């Protein structure tokens, strides 16, 4: 059963999500966190930085694993997810850089990189709390709609609509990479707890479909209905077709 936390607006969603993440770190200082990029969690990261500066949270024992990275972009590329995480979170909190993991977008051998990434998560003891956003087509991480759920960490061929949505960060569509490395559904579903964040009416339809529709690999987020501890933290606009 999905728990739903209804927030007033983006700011309220961000604070509520930050509260859950911060409670996780207070209860288990060496938590393994699964993190997402994109516009949605930026407010949550800002709030966490603020609480860190006030001395309310200590990230020194935390490990983090990001969901995904573009293939072909190195750490310093302005649109790489590594750079995004440094700029929006890691540079401003005390997570030990040795404990920060993001798939390597310029690996020599991508199959090896995918296997190693999964092994590192397993060695860390699995993910305690996974933060997710949701794409307009229902993707989580970069698990795009397709005929089956992709279990393992893998190379994804990004859909046109995903590249178009993300072209807002790049100069033009042609500059958006065509491939990405994404954590697979197996690892995401093995996370002990998941929070799925959504804000704005443009997410309402896909969020509703994911929460209540049939479990369908063409709506990748629908698999989350099977997770034993998932909380949707969404604002009123994203929950408008929800009737609650
Ligand atoms: C990012 C990720 C993606 C985003 C999704 C929503 O690491 O995994 O699944 O969560 O594309 O993006 P925004 O938040 O920009 O709407």
């Amino acid at each position: 059963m999905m728990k739903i936390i209804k927030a007033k607006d983006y700011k309220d969603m961000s604070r509520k999500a930050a509260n859950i993440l911060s409670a996780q770190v207070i209860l288990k200082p060496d938590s393994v966190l699964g993190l997402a990029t994109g516009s949605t969690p930026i407010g949550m990261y800002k709030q966490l930085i603020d609480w860190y500066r006030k001395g309310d949270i200590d990230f020194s024992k935390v490990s983090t694993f990001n969901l995904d990275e573009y293939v072909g972009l190195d750490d310093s590329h302005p649109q790489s997810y590594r750079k995004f995480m440094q700029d929006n979170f890691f540079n401003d909190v005390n997570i030990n850089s040795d404990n920060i993991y993001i798939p390597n977008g310029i690996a020599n051998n991508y199959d090896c990189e995918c296997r190693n990434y999964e092994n590192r998560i397993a060695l860390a003891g699995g993910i305690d709390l996974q933060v997710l956003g949701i794409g307009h087509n229902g993707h989580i991480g970069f698990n795009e709609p397709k005929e089956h759920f992709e279990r393992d960490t893998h190379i994804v061929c990004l859909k046109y609509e995903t590249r178009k949505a993300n072209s807002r960060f790049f100069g033009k569509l042609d500059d958006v990479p065509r491939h990405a490395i994404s954590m697979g559904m197996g690892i995401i579903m093995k996370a002990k707890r998941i929070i799925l964040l959504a804000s704005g009416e443009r997410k309402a339809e896909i969020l509703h479909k994911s929460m209540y529709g049939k479990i369908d690999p063409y709506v990748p987020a629908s698999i989350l209905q099977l997770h034993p501890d998932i909380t949707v933290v969404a604002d009123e606009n994203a929950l408008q077709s929800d009737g609650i």
Side-chain angles (χ1 to χ4, degrees):
M1 195 32 199
M2 285 184 164
K3 289 191 278 289
I4 302 166
I5 296 180
K6 188 175 187 171
K8 281 198 295 292
D9 51 22
Y10 179 74
K11 196 158 181 233
D12 190 31
M13 178 207 76
S14 302
R15 281 175 62 86
K16 285 181 160 64
N19 261 306
I20 295 171
L21 196 143
S22 118
Q24 169 71 40
V25 173
I26 291 167
L27 288 167
K28 186 172 185 253
D30 61 348
S31 286
V32 178
L33 304 176
L35 299 180
T37 59
S39 306
T40 312
I42 290 179
M44 176 190 77
Y45 292 136
K46 278 206 170 76
Q47 180 65 77
L48 289 168
I49 291 167
D50 186 42
W51 286 336
Y52 166 71
R53 288 192 175 136
K54 290 182 174 138
D56 290 339
I57 321 177
D58 174 18
F59 292 98
S60 60
K61 297 198 178 71
V62 160
S63 312
T64 65
F65 287 88
N66 264 79
L67 284 163
D68 40 22
E69 179 60 285
Y70 288 113
V71 164
L73 304 194
D74 65 20
D75 288 6
S76 64
H77 190 287
Q79 305 310 336
S80 74
Y81 283 169
R82 160 74 69 170
K83 181 85 170 55
F84 174 99
M85 289 306 297
Q86 290 300 145
D87 292 349
N88 287 290
F89 191 43
F90 296 146
N91 286 346
D92 295 299
V93 293
N94 66 335
I95 302 177
N96 181 340
S97 57
D98 292 341
N99 296 336
I100 292 174
Y101 298 94
I102 299 183
N104 179 4
I106 50 159
N108 289 325
N109 180 328
Y110 288 109
D111 281 344
C112 249
E113 175 62 17
C114 291
R115 298 294 73 73
N116 288 344
Y117 202 65
E118 296 228 338
N119 290 341
R120 280 188 220 114
I121 295 173
L123 269 175
I127 291 168
D128 291 305
L129 175 64
Q130 175 68 55
V131 178
L132 294 176
I134 182 169
H136 296 291
N137 61 8
H139 73 222
I140 49 176
F142 269 140
N143 291 279
E144 295 279 45
K146 62 192 287 188
E147 66 286 353
H148 64 276
F149 291 107
E150 198 81 50
R151 186 192 58 189
D152 298 328
T153 296
H154 60 290
I155 299 290
V156 188
C157 191
L158 296 174
K159 295 264 184 202
Y160 171 76
E161 64 259 28
T162 299
R163 294 183 60 240
K164 192 152 182 288
N166 290 3
S167 65
R168 68 192 194 275
F169 301 112
F170 293 78
K172 50 186 192 305
L173 184 62
D174 259 0
D175 293 341
V176 185
R178 291 173 189 277
H179 297 92
I181 304 183
S182 179
M183 254 189 218
M185 292 297 199
I187 289 277
I188 294 172
M189 289 298 283
K190 268 192 243 155
K192 292 171 193 94
R193 295 168 72 200
I194 298 179
I195 54 173
L196 174 68
L197 313 187
S199 167
E201 64 182 299
R202 288 186 328 120
K203 294 287 171 73
E205 196 183 329
I206 193 65
L207 184 62
H208 189 270
K209 228 171 157 182
S210 305
M211 288 163 64
Y212 304 112
K214 90 172 175 354
I215 295 168
D216 176 356
Y218 284 101
V219 183
S222 63
I223 200 174
L224 298 172
Q225 293 177 36
L226 299 177
H227 194 277
D229 190 353
I230 162 126
T231 303
V232 175
V233 186
D235 63 16
E236 279 171 10
N237 287 339
L239 285 170
Q240 58 188 345
S241 34
D242 196 58
I244 61 161

